[in-house]
Amino acid sequence: MLSPTPPMGFNDWARFECAINQTVFTDAVDAMVSTGLRDVGFKLVTIDDCWSDHNRTSNGSLTWDTKLFPNGLLWLSDYIHKNKMDFGIYSDAGTLTCGGYQGSYDHDEMDAKTFASWGVDYLKLDGCNVDSVPGQSDEETYRQIYERWHPILPPLNITFSESAPAYFVNDKNLTDWYKVMSWVPKYGQLARHSYDIATYGSKGSVWESVMTNYGYNLRLARVQQKGFYNDPDFIIAGDPNLTMDEQRSQFALWSSFSAPLILSSDIPALTKEHLAFLTNRDLIALDQDPLVKQATLISQDEDFDVLAKTLAKGDRALTILNKGGSTASLTVTLEKLGFHLGQHCAYHVKDLWTGKTSLQANKIVASSIPSHGTAVYRVTPTAQCKQFLPGGQIFNAFSLNCVGAGNPVWSAKCNATDDQFWKISPQGTILAPFAGNACLSVKGSSVVTENCTSAPEQIWTHGVAGYLVNKATKQCLTEKNSSIRIAKCGDELDSQVFEIPL
Ligand code: GLA
């Protein structure tokens, strides 16, 4: 099942943890069919941890727990496939899974073949219990182990979900996390990059858990590419500790990211209200858009995150998250969405919650977004409109501070002001359209904004590593406290990894 768009389906973990059995999965399959979830694209059914016997068989292969799965996994696989769905399974790169079951360390080839013989289409390879190797960094050790699976899985047509990055995320230093994120796309199709999303009934704020993973996903837009998806973890529709608006928001935000949409819910218990948003074809089309771009930030302040996403055929999506505690409205100009406004140009703006379309010439008014709710629009320019240029904030992926236009250029908390808004041209210039139409440029060892000339000092490249490399100096944009400098590029230094509008 090597699909070109992000996977959609069901995984039991966040809802059931180890309380699984055959019926949990057959019930999920039946409900996915009867509710229409399968038919809108939720096709993958994955068994997470705790499915296996604690011991391998006499020939060394993994086998299922016969008490939990009396008919066996081959039977369950058939059940899933007969319902025109795909079968996913969980294992671990280390010696034991996170739940203490047999891991696949040193058994990669054998376990992959076993899974293939059961008709497995998708493997989630977790990263618990990976032993450190003396004289080698853990990042290198994980790389070597995950790399080994790379030649094995594609010939078996098994999608590879890598959990390695989740073992490097932290709030002190992201260098190793960035390094892991730079190699996971080479080996697999998706990567779980941050903390576990709150499990059902867990203590603590579930909304905070959703926001934490959303926040880490925002730092990784540059990594996503066709055939590789950043995975901010499960959609937890039905969690009683999230309001309905929060649940809708999670779905709209994940769809804006073209993230995997993997439901960890008791599917038969989902209500009409849940199903209404989970089967919203406009949101699913956003997620499964052929360009599979991740939305990036136009702006961020205490109250709102405003995101734009480039879609196929010149469309753009606008997503507005109300982070505040009360209902609020926001107007976003189409210029901020990257469009050039002109006399003969108009835009069809579809509200993806109501399905209503209106014609707009210069702005979108998002009125009455509930607390923790998300407004989401698809914008289709009429034929007369010029191509857009992506625009938004440039921020350091570690400090989360925004780069501001001025002389010198500076770094500060993002606050949605015009001097933190940049446009990226195809030639590689970075323009501050609302701060004197000036271009980001290098002058000696300083970074400034000055009249645009397209000189090499004003040309920048940006790639998966996250560096903004200046053409004239071959050096990297670097944040130092509240200042922005140009300095020798290091190896995924926190100070040099930036996210830009895409
Ligand atoms: C880790 C993963 C979870 C789940 C559990 C299973 O915590 O991040 O998604 O797979 O292990 O034990």
Side-chain angles (χ1 to χ4, degrees):
M1 185 210 107
L2 295 168
S3 148
T5 54
M8 294 172 64
F10 164 78
N11 174 308
D12 57 278
W13 181 259
R15 178 60 183 80
F16 298 99
E17 296 184 64
C18 286
I20 52 167
N21 57 43
Q22 180 174 295
T23 315
V24 165
F25 295 93
T26 51
D27 283 355
V29 169
D30 295 349
M32 286 162 91
V33 174
S34 65
T35 55
L37 280 167
R38 179 198 62 185
D39 293 341
V40 296
F42 290 91
K43 288 208 163 77
L44 173 67
V45 177
T46 301
I47 307 181
D48 209 284
D49 204 356
C50 313
W51 59 267
S52 66
D53 196 280
H54 274 289
N55 299 304
R56 288 178 176 266
T57 62
S58 52
N59 72 7
S61 56
L62 288 172
T63 188
W64 54 83
D65 180 325
T66 51
K67 284 203 197 74
L68 301 180
F69 297 97
N71 293 1
L73 288 196
L74 203 51
W75 177 88
L76 185 59
S77 168
D78 269 356
Y79 192 88
I80 293 167
H81 288 134
K82 276 193 189 124
N83 280 285
K84 300 197 172 61
M85 296 162 102
D86 295 319
F87 176 35
I89 206 158
Y90 167 101
S91 192
D92 191 282
T95 48
L96 293 173
T97 71
C98 300
Y101 294 76
Q102 291 287 320
S104 286
Y105 183 70
D106 250 354
H107 290 80
D108 26 52
E109 202 138 359
M110 170 179 253
D111 290 354
K113 283 193 182 135
T114 303
F115 295 148
S117 75
W118 298 345
V120 164
D121 303 291
Y122 172 105
L123 171 66
K124 168 177 171 181
L125 191 70
D126 213 339
C128 272
N129 305 306
V130 170
D131 294 338
S132 294
V133 174
Q136 171 167 296
S137 73
D138 285 349
E139 180 265 317
E140 183 65 9
T141 304
Y142 274 76
R143 189 178 66 69
Q144 286 170 359
I145 298 179
Y146 278 79
E147 187 179 25
R148 272 188 235 145
W149 290 81
H150 174 55
I152 301 174
L153 296 174
L156 301 173
N157 206 17
I158 295 178
T159 295
F160 191 21
S161 162
E162 305 165 88
S163 296
Y167 293 84
F168 293 86
V169 72
N170 68 86
D171 55 12
K172 306 222 158 41
N173 185 303
L174 290 179
T175 293
D176 283 344
W177 187 62
Y178 294 142
K179 286 186 187 170
V180 175
M181 284 310 304
S182 72
W183 52 254
V184 277
K186 292 186 200 152
Y187 308 145
Q189 287 70 48
L190 63 155
R192 261 288 312 285
H193 55 65
S194 45
Y195 302 106
D196 283 13
I197 202 124
T199 48
Y200 192 81
S202 63
K203 295 197 186 80
S205 162
V206 177
W207 176 243
E208 224 168 85
S209 160
V210 170
M211 284 293 95
T212 300
N213 285 14
Y214 158 79
Y216 279 104
N217 215 68
L218 280 175
R219 304 166 192 238
L220 295 172
R222 65 185 184 281
V223 181
Q224 187 151 301
Q225 49 193 267
K226 270 186 200 174
F228 176 81
Y229 306 101
N230 298 319
D231 181 3
D233 212 2
F234 307 121
I235 299 283
I236 47 173
D239 190 304
N241 292 321
L242 288 179
T243 66
M244 201 50 84
D245 286 321
E246 290 170 341
Q247 297 179 46
R248 285 194 197 99
S249 268
Q250 192 201 13
F251 196 64
L253 294 169
W254 267 230
S255 297
S256 302
F257 284 144
S258 278
L261 298 177
I262 303 181
L263 267 169
S264 197
S265 313
D266 182 6
I267 305 217
L270 291 173
T271 64
K272 270 195 181 143
E273 257 181 315
H274 295 121
L275 291 166
F277 72 80
L278 293 170
T279 59
N280 179 322
R281 288 182 187 267
D282 286 326
L283 288 175
I284 291 170
L286 212 60
D287 186 76
Q288 301 284 306
D289 181 80
L291 297 182
V292 291
K293 294 244 187 196
Q294 205 180 286
T296 57
L297 283 162
I298 294 179
S299 65
Q300 186 168 54
D301 62 12
E302 292 290 321
D303 302 319
F304 294 105
D305 277 10
V306 182
L307 298 121
K309 172 179 167 77
T310 300
L311 300 164
K313 297 190 185 146
D315 284 10
R316 299 214 88 198
L318 173 68
T319 304
I320 307 172
L321 165 66
N322 174 7
K323 297 184 286 189
S326 45
T327 300
S329 303
L330 188 76
T331 298
V332 178
T333 66
L334 288 165
E335 260 177 315
K336 286 273 168 75
L337 203 52
F339 292 112
H340 307 266
L341 305 187
Q343 273 185 323
H344 302 292
C345 180
Y347 299 84
H348 298 283
V349 176
K350 184 170 189 185
D351 179 327
L352 302 190
W353 289 125
T354 64
K356 289 200 183 113
T357 301
S358 65
L359 201 63
Q360 300 295 338
N362 48 40
K363 59 178 191 287
I364 296 174
V365 181
S367 44
S368 306
I369 311 171
S371 163
H372 299 178
T374 297
V376 52
Y377 304 91
R378 183 182 191 109
V379 183
T380 306
T382 52
Q384 298 83 349
C385 304
K386 283 198 222 152
Q387 281 257 313
F388 66 87
L389 284 186
Q393 64 180 49
I394 296 178
F395 68 99
N396 180 282
F398 176 72
S399 72
L400 303 181
N401 284 331
C402 272
V403 176
N407 284 311
V409 163
W410 42 273
S411 165
K413 195 169 162 47
C414 300
N415 60 9
T417 52
D418 280 350
D419 49 8
Q420 291 182 351
F421 183 87
W422 303 89
K423 276 190 171 187
I424 315 288
S425 80
Q427 295 73 34
T429 54
I430 298 179
L431 182 80
F434 307 116
N437 245 335
C439 275
L440 188 72
S441 182
V442 171
K443 214 174 192 176
S445 61
S446 316
V447 180
V448 298
T449 44
E450 58 181 13
N451 280 344
C452 298
T453 61
S454 297
E457 286 74 16
Q458 297 187 356
I459 306 288
W460 303 83
T461 53
H462 185 254
V464 171
Y467 311 136
L468 269 166
V469 183
N470 180 259
K471 189 174 176 189
T473 60
K474 314 263 183 303
Q475 292 191 317
C476 277
L477 198 79
T478 306
E479 180 189 60
K480 197 166 184 207
N481 304 321
S482 58
S483 68
I484 292 287
R485 315 248 172 101
I486 194 83
K488 191 169 180 299
C489 301
D491 194 5
E492 299 287 354
L493 300 177
D494 280 340
S495 59
Q496 294 184 332
V497 176
F498 290 86
E499 273 297 316
I500 68 169
L502 295 175

